[in-house]
Amino acid sequence: MKIREIHRNGYTISTDKDKLDILSIHKFLANETDWANGIPINTLKTSIENSLNFGVYYKDKQIGFARIISDFSTIAYLGDVYILKEYRGKGLSKWLINEIMEHPNLQGLRRWILLTNTAEWLYKKFGFTEVPNPEFYMEKHNLNVYQKKTKTNDS
C-alpha cells in the first residue's frame, strides 16, 4: 500500500510504519488509556504490523496515532486514536479522522466500526452514530487480557 504523508503548519500525518515511535505509542496506550491499559509492547507491535497506521507528528516528535483494521473492501475498525494532551485543541484530531476517512484504500466500505466512550462529538462529525439495533451486536470481551497473571500457591 502506498505511503501517504500530509503536512500542515509544522504537523505531519503519515502512514509510514517506519516513522512510528513504538515506545511513545506504547507509553500512551499502556498508561493513559482505559481501553489498552497495560498492553504488552509485543502485543502492540503485532497490532501495528497488521494494521493501517496513522502517525501524527510535530516536527519529528510523535504526538498522536490511530490505526485501522480492515479488509479494504467491506469493513474497517477505527481504534487506538489519540493526540497527546499538550497538543489537543488545535484541530489535530479532526484533521486525523478526516485523513483516515479520505484514505483511498478505505473508500466504498459497507461498515465502519468504532468503540468509544470519549469524543463522541468528534466521530459524529464524520457520520458515526450509535448502534441502531444494539440487540444485534455481540462481543466477546476480555477486560483483563493485559493484566499480569500472578502465580498462587494453589497453581
Side-chain angles (χ1 to χ4, degrees), residues 3-7 12-16 19:
I3 293 172
R4 290 176 47 97
E5 274 196 9
I6 303 93
H7 306 278
T12 301
I13 295 175
S14 176
T15 60
D16 187 350
K19 286 189 173 192

PDB file of all heavy atoms in Angstrom, residues 3-7 12-16 19:
ATOM      1  N   ILE A   3       2.451   4.705   0.776  1.00  0.00           N
ATOM      2  CA  ILE A   3       2.553   5.561   1.966  1.00  0.00           C
ATOM      3  C   ILE A   3       2.004   6.939   1.626  1.00  0.00           C
ATOM      4  O   ILE A   3       2.288   7.494   0.557  1.00  0.00           O
ATOM      5  CB  ILE A   3       4.018   5.667   2.436  1.00  0.00           C
ATOM      6  CG1 ILE A   3       4.492   4.313   2.959  1.00  0.00           C
ATOM      7  CG2 ILE A   3       4.173   6.753   3.494  1.00  0.00           C
ATOM      8  CD1 ILE A   3       5.973   4.249   3.279  1.00  0.00           C
ATOM      9  N   ARG A   4       1.214   7.479   2.558  1.00  0.00           N
ATOM     10  CA  ARG A   4       0.662   8.828   2.394  1.00  0.00           C
ATOM     11  C   ARG A   4       1.218   9.726   3.486  1.00  0.00           C
ATOM     12  O   ARG A   4       1.287   9.315   4.641  1.00  0.00           O
ATOM     13  CB  ARG A   4      -0.867   8.811   2.473  1.00  0.00           C
ATOM     14  CG  ARG A   4      -1.516   8.151   1.272  1.00  0.00           C
ATOM     15  CD  ARG A   4      -3.023   8.043   1.401  1.00  0.00           C
ATOM     16  NE  ARG A   4      -3.709   9.215   1.839  1.00  0.00           N
ATOM     17  CZ  ARG A   4      -4.309  10.106   1.042  1.00  0.00           C
ATOM     18  NH1 ARG A   4      -4.277   9.949  -0.256  1.00  0.00           N
ATOM     19  NH2 ARG A   4      -4.949  11.154   1.536  1.00  0.00           N
ATOM     20  N   GLU A   5       1.572  10.944   3.105  1.00  0.00           N
ATOM     21  CA  GLU A   5       2.007  11.947   4.070  1.00  0.00           C
ATOM     22  C   GLU A   5       1.362  13.273   3.723  1.00  0.00           C
ATOM     23  O   GLU A   5       1.380  13.694   2.569  1.00  0.00           O
ATOM     24  CB  GLU A   5       3.526  12.114   4.064  1.00  0.00           C
ATOM     25  CG  GLU A   5       4.211  11.133   4.945  1.00  0.00           C
ATOM     26  CD  GLU A   5       5.655  11.501   5.263  1.00  0.00           C
ATOM     27  OE1 GLU A   5       6.112  12.617   4.932  1.00  0.00           O
ATOM     28  OE2 GLU A   5       6.310  10.639   5.839  1.00  0.00           O
ATOM     29  N   ILE A   6       0.808  13.895   4.753  1.00  0.00           N
ATOM     30  CA  ILE A   6       0.155  15.180   4.595  1.00  0.00           C
ATOM     31  C   ILE A   6       0.781  16.112   5.619  1.00  0.00           C
ATOM     32  O   ILE A   6       0.960  15.738   6.783  1.00  0.00           O
ATOM     33  CB  ILE A   6      -1.364  15.065   4.830  1.00  0.00           C
ATOM     34  CG1 ILE A   6      -1.980  14.029   3.866  1.00  0.00           C
ATOM     35  CG2 ILE A   6      -2.057  16.398   4.640  1.00  0.00           C
ATOM     36  CD1 ILE A   6      -2.087  12.661   4.408  1.00  0.00           C
ATOM     37  N   HIS A   7       1.112  17.335   5.190  1.00  0.00           N
ATOM     38  CA  HIS A   7       1.770  18.310   6.061  1.00  0.00           C
ATOM     39  C   HIS A   7       0.878  19.545   6.215  1.00  0.00           C
ATOM     40  O   HIS A   7       0.227  19.959   5.255  1.00  0.00           O
ATOM     41  CB  HIS A   7       3.120  18.723   5.468  1.00  0.00           C
ATOM     42  CG  HIS A   7       4.007  17.557   5.173  1.00  0.00           C
ATOM     43  ND1 HIS A   7       4.771  16.943   6.134  1.00  0.00           N
ATOM     44  CD2 HIS A   7       4.230  16.874   4.022  1.00  0.00           C
ATOM     45  CE1 HIS A   7       5.440  15.945   5.590  1.00  0.00           C
ATOM     46  NE2 HIS A   7       5.121  15.872   4.302  1.00  0.00           N
ATOM     47  N   THR A  12       2.571  16.745  10.701  1.00  0.00           N
ATOM     48  CA  THR A  12       2.526  15.750   9.632  1.00  0.00           C
ATOM     49  C   THR A  12       1.661  14.579  10.065  1.00  0.00           C
ATOM     50  O   THR A  12       1.726  14.153  11.219  1.00  0.00           O
ATOM     51  CB  THR A  12       3.945  15.217   9.314  1.00  0.00           C
ATOM     52  OG1 THR A  12       4.765  16.311   8.918  1.00  0.00           O
ATOM     53  CG2 THR A  12       3.921  14.167   8.207  1.00  0.00           C
ATOM     54  N   ILE A  13       0.875  14.058   9.140  1.00  0.00           N
ATOM     55  CA  ILE A  13       0.186  12.783   9.317  1.00  0.00           C
ATOM     56  C   ILE A  13       0.785  11.846   8.278  1.00  0.00           C
ATOM     57  O   ILE A  13       0.843  12.185   7.090  1.00  0.00           O
ATOM     58  CB  ILE A  13      -1.334  12.894   9.134  1.00  0.00           C
ATOM     59  CG1 ILE A  13      -1.933  13.777  10.234  1.00  0.00           C
ATOM     60  CG2 ILE A  13      -1.978  11.500   9.148  1.00  0.00           C
ATOM     61  CD1 ILE A  13      -3.424  14.048  10.088  1.00  0.00           C
ATOM     62  N   SER A  14       1.256  10.695   8.740  1.00  0.00           N
ATOM     63  CA  SER A  14       1.923   9.752   7.841  1.00  0.00           C
ATOM     64  C   SER A  14       1.451   8.328   8.107  1.00  0.00           C
ATOM     65  O   SER A  14       1.211   7.952   9.258  1.00  0.00           O
ATOM     66  CB  SER A  14       3.440   9.824   8.047  1.00  0.00           C
ATOM     67  OG  SER A  14       4.095   8.854   7.258  1.00  0.00           O
ATOM     68  N   THR A  15       1.366   7.549   7.033  1.00  0.00           N
ATOM     69  CA  THR A  15       1.040   6.120   7.168  1.00  0.00           C
ATOM     70  C   THR A  15       2.304   5.256   7.113  1.00  0.00           C
ATOM     71  O   THR A  15       2.211   4.031   7.039  1.00  0.00           O
ATOM     72  CB  THR A  15       0.058   5.668   6.065  1.00  0.00           C
ATOM     73  OG1 THR A  15       0.664   5.883   4.789  1.00  0.00           O
ATOM     74  CG2 THR A  15      -1.273   6.406   6.162  1.00  0.00           C
ATOM     75  N   ASP A  16       3.462   5.872   7.168  1.00  0.00           N
ATOM     76  CA  ASP A  16       4.730   5.150   7.117  1.00  0.00           C
ATOM     77  C   ASP A  16       5.009   4.471   8.463  1.00  0.00           C
ATOM     78  O   ASP A  16       5.288   5.142   9.462  1.00  0.00           O
ATOM     79  CB  ASP A  16       5.856   6.120   6.769  1.00  0.00           C
ATOM     80  CG  ASP A  16       7.189   5.439   6.532  1.00  0.00           C
ATOM     81  OD1 ASP A  16       7.322   4.226   6.820  1.00  0.00           O
ATOM     82  OD2 ASP A  16       8.112   6.141   6.060  1.00  0.00           O
ATOM     83  N   LYS A  19       8.205   5.279  10.502  1.00  0.00           N
ATOM     84  CA  LYS A  19       8.298   6.534  11.260  1.00  0.00           C
ATOM     85  C   LYS A  19       7.710   6.413  12.665  1.00  0.00           C
ATOM     86  O   LYS A  19       7.949   7.276  13.501  1.00  0.00           O
ATOM     87  CB  LYS A  19       7.574   7.658  10.522  1.00  0.00           C
ATOM     88  CG  LYS A  19       8.303   8.172   9.331  1.00  0.00           C
ATOM     89  CD  LYS A  19       7.623   9.415   8.811  1.00  0.00           C
ATOM     90  CE  LYS A  19       8.493  10.012   7.717  1.00  0.00           C
ATOM     91  NZ  LYS A  19       8.085  11.343   7.345  1.00  0.00           N
TER      92      LYS A  19
END
